[in-house]
């Protein structure tokens, strides 16, 4: 990494060596890959999400297996094993990964949780805290598909969920949300007030496709591209300095230039997944070196000095974040064939 530039930052109360954090992905679900990411410069790790539905499904499967022999003999009126009242085997593998990461890595470990019920959010948030997670990321993957569910009802659900988790745990947590709110500028401060220590912008909802041969809905996984980062860039630029919580940029962060842009508009960290899946853990070092070199060449001394210098509040022409940018882009565009 280029010497002479201070890359340190702070996120969710954690002091980080640099602002480029591997986000939740299959890569962070393997302890060997976690070590490779640390060697490449990862300042913290976000583990893959623990899904409440998976935990419940696996637990119910165990219950069904154990109950098959119930009543077969006088000794097995309730099955051959005790009820799993306090132990849920579905979370076992995830908790083992969290424990190993905490024991073997020298950096903060952020657990990720994707709940299905309010009780599940708070229960598993406490479990992850008790197993040593330094912080938590709530991956709220909610598609408002019910036509009878109003926008205000969706927002109220988010706020109630955040308040319940805040009441249940003491460690800091961030909320990973999607961009589909009618007034994100108004809603984001409410998320912070409800107890979120950080916002991760944005959750990438995978879109369905149709297989025209089988006439079935396909669930293909398309990794992000650098151009996908512009949505987060716009909103972080407009929210920086206006919400009382940390801001993390995610989706479309592939290069050092992408990281630089997010820091300039006000992000505390930039999170990467797709680029690491495509190029391997070592790509993180390349990104860090590119970002540090850009800042040093322009005589910045630290990430803290650069952060937010091109946010909506500080940029010379803030209309570039808003509708004027839309009008100029359309009126000035000239296709190659013209």
């Amino acid at each position: 990494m280029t010497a002479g530039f201070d890359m340190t930052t702070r996120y969710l109360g954690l002091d980080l060596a640099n602002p480029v954090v591997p986000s939740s992905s299959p890569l962070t679900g393997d302890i060997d890959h976690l070590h490779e990411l640390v060697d490449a410069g990862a300042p913290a790790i976000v583990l893959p999400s623990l899904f409440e539905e998976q935990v419940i499904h696996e637990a119910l499967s165990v219950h069904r297996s154990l109950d098959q022999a119930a009543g077969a003999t006088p000794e097995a009126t309730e099955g051959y094993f005790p009820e799993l009242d306090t132990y849920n085997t579905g979370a076992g593998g995830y908790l083992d990964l969290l424990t190993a990461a905490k024991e073997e890595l020298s950096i903060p470990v952020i657990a990720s949780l994707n709940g299905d019920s309010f009780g599940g959010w708070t229960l598993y948030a406490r479990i992850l805290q008790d197993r040593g997670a330094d912080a938590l990321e709530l991956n709220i993957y909610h598609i408002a598909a019910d036509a009878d569910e109003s926008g205000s009802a969706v927002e109220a659900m988010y706020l109630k969920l955040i308040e319940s988790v805040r009441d249940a745990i003491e460690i800091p947590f961030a909320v990973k949300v999607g961009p589909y709110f009618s007034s994100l500028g108004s809603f984001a401060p409410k998320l912070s007030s409800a107890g979120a220590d950080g916002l991760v912008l944005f959750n990438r909802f995978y879109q369905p496709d149709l297989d025209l041969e089988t006439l079935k809905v396909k669930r293909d996984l398309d990794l992000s591209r650098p151009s996908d980062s512009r949505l987060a860039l716009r909103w972080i630029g407009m929210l920086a300095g206006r919400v009382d919580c940390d801001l993390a940029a995610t989706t479309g962060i592939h290069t050092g230039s992408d990281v630089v842009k997010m820091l300039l508009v006000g992000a505390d960290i930039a999170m990467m997944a797709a680029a690491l899946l495509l190029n391997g853990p070592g790509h993180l070092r390349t990104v860090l070196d590119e970002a540090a070199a850009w800042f040093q060449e322009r005589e910045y001394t630290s990430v803290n000095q650069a952060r937010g210098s091109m946010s909506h509040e500080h940029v010379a022409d803030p209309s570039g974040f808003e509708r004027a940018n839309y009008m100029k882009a359309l009126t000035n565009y000239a296709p190659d064939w013209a």
Side-chain angles (χ1 to χ4, degrees), residues 20-260:
V20 186
V21 176
S23 61
S24 176
S25 79
L27 199 62
T28 62
D30 177 87
I31 192 64
D32 292 333
H33 287 146
L34 289 178
H35 280 287
E36 293 176 23
L37 289 167
V38 172
D39 292 341
I45 291 290
V46 182
L47 299 181
S49 285
L50 172 64
F51 287 86
E52 181 188 351
E53 298 98 323
Q54 290 179 320
V55 176
I56 294 172
H57 174 75
E58 292 182 24
L60 291 176
S61 296
V62 172
H63 274 282
R64 285 194 295 270
S65 298
L66 300 183
D67 286 344
Q68 284 181 351
T73 68
E75 294 81 9
T77 56
E78 299 298 332
Y80 285 109
F81 295 92
E83 287 294 307
L84 304 181
D85 290 330
T86 58
Y87 178 73
N88 195 326
T89 56
Y94 191 92
L95 296 178
D96 289 344
L97 174 66
L98 173 57
T99 299
K102 283 296 299 175
E103 290 177 350
E104 299 181 28
L105 306 182
S106 58
I107 59 175
V109 177
I110 302 172
S112 178
L113 177 61
N114 192 313
D116 184 56
S117 68
F118 280 97
W121 281 106
T122 54
L123 170 63
Y124 296 114
R126 285 196 299 267
I127 290 173
L128 294 173
Q129 171 184 262
D130 294 344
R131 289 298 287 262
D134 295 289
L136 197 60
E137 181 176 284
L138 305 185
N139 184 356
I140 306 179
Y141 198 104
H142 177 71
I143 305 294
D146 185 350
D148 294 326
E149 185 179 35
S150 67
S152 59
V154 172
E155 292 186 4
M157 179 273 291
Y158 272 73
L159 298 176
K160 180 181 177 182
L161 188 158
I162 292 168
E163 290 170 352
S164 66
V165 173
R166 180 73 286 162
D167 289 341
I169 63 175
E170 298 177 357
I171 59 174
F173 69 85
V175 180
K176 190 173 185 178
V177 299
Y180 304 118
F181 295 96
S182 59
S183 181
L184 186 62
S186 171
F187 187 47
K190 295 177 183 177
L191 295 170
S192 174
S193 297
D197 300 290
L199 299 179
V200 182
L201 306 178
F202 285 105
N203 205 336
R204 187 164 177 256
F205 298 138
Y206 294 104
Q207 309 301 335
D209 197 0
L210 294 181
D211 187 322
L212 296 181
E213 296 298 324
T214 63
L215 294 182
K216 293 182 179 180
V217 177
K218 296 194 301 182
R219 296 177 178 85
D220 291 337
L221 173 60
D222 294 321
L223 296 177
S224 71
R225 297 167 294 179
S227 60
D228 294 329
S229 67
R230 295 175 187 171
L231 185 62
L233 184 144
R234 160 178 275 175
W235 278 106
I236 288 176
M238 291 198 291
L239 293 175
R242 300 179 179 180
V243 291
D244 188 22
C245 65
D246 296 335
L247 296 172
T250 190
T251 299
I253 312 297
H254 284 243
T255 68
S257 296
D258 298 327
V259 172
V260 168

Side-chain angles (χ1 to χ4, degrees), residues 1 20 40-41 254-257 259 272 276 279-293:
M1 191 180 299
V20 186
H254 284 243
T255 68
S257 296
V259 172
M272 300 183 68
L276 298 176
N279 301 293
H283 182 64
L284 180 63
R285 175 61 61 186
T286 300
V287 170
L288 286 170
D289 288 344
E290 289 174 353

